[in-house]
Amino acid sequence: SSYDEGSDYKVRISSVSDDSVFDKSDANFTLTIPPSITVTSPNGGEDWESGSTHSITWTSINVSGNVKITSMKGGSLYQTIVESTDDNGSYSWTIPSSYDEGSDYKVRISSVSDDSVFDKSDANFTLTIEDSTQDYVDIGTGSYNWSYPFHTSYHDARTQILYLSSEIGTSG
């Protein structure tokens, strides 16, 4: 059963067999909801790429001050994402290219003022390395991105013409 926060609670204890036999608190007491943090994203199953930007999101109740966000890999601290940020439920994270590829990442969000108030992703998410390999071909005075589906045709000794394969009916 849950109760609302408040400062006007009392306890009354009575006999089960005789309701006229009872006692109650002499003074009011206070019920407070303990502080908590709940990670909502990434919370497991996501597939994110290094260099991309994503929102780390959470909800919190009665957290005093800012939160700290760290990444975990294989269940251990990996890197600090941010030492202290507003407890506003969202942080925009550009994943550094220095991160290792892996399917065993989680984030941990904790109260800066009380590290025992924290949550982490329920399940692992995956980080992949961005594909930064590009093939270039030197054409005249500049370099141009070169990838399928281009087809090369030599017009004469000095001229090379590039066509999209779809323009000339060639596939691969």
Side-chain angles (χ1 to χ4, degrees):
S1 161
S2 65
Y3 296 92
D4 293 331
E5 278 190 314
S7 59
D8 57 351
Y9 283 93
K10 289 187 176 185
V11 174
R12 182 180 191 268
I13 301 173
S14 62
S15 168
V16 174
S17 59
D18 184 355
D19 199 31
S20 66
V21 178
F22 69 92
D23 194 13
K24 64 179 182 176
S25 305
D26 293 333
N28 290 342
F29 64 91
T30 301
L31 287 181
T32 58
I33 297 172
S36 67
I37 296 172
T38 304
V39 174
T40 55
S41 179
N43 208 29
E46 296 85 353
D47 190 358
W48 292 352
E49 188 175 277
S50 66
S52 62
T53 301
H54 297 274
S55 290
I56 296 173
T57 60
W58 67 94
T59 60
S60 64
I61 298 170
N62 290 341
V63 172
S64 175
N66 291 349
V67 296
K68 176 180 181 178
I69 304 174
T70 58
S71 60
M72 300 174 66
K73 184 167 180 7
S76 299
L77 172 67
Y78 187 67
Q79 289 187 18
T80 298
I81 295 171
V82 61
E83 278 291 337
S84 181
T85 189
D86 289 339
D87 179 23
N88 62 11
S90 184
Y91 180 81
S92 182
W93 180 39
T94 301
I95 303 167
S97 58
S98 61
Y99 270 59
D100 295 326
E101 193 165 54
S103 59
D104 57 347
Y105 281 94
K106 291 183 178 186
V107 295
R108 181 183 190 272
I109 302 174
S110 60
S111 167
V112 169
S113 62
D114 183 355
D115 192 57
S116 70
V117 178
F118 73 92
D119 190 34
K120 58 186 175 183
S121 306
D122 289 342
N124 293 332
F125 64 94
T126 300
L127 287 182
T128 55
I129 304 299
E130 68 178 325
D131 184 11
S132 61
T133 61
Q134 296 185 14
D135 297 322
Y136 290 92
V137 63
D138 184 37
I139 301 174
T141 60
S143 294
Y144 300 90
N145 195 3
W146 173 265
S147 62
Y148 175 80
F150 288 105
H151 178 76
T152 303
S153 176
Y154 293 94
H155 181 64
D156 60 34
R158 296 178 315 160
T159 308
Q160 183 178 22
I161 302 171
L162 296 177
Y163 296 96
L164 278 172
S165 296
S166 60
E167 292 177 321
I168 59 172
T170 304
S171 60

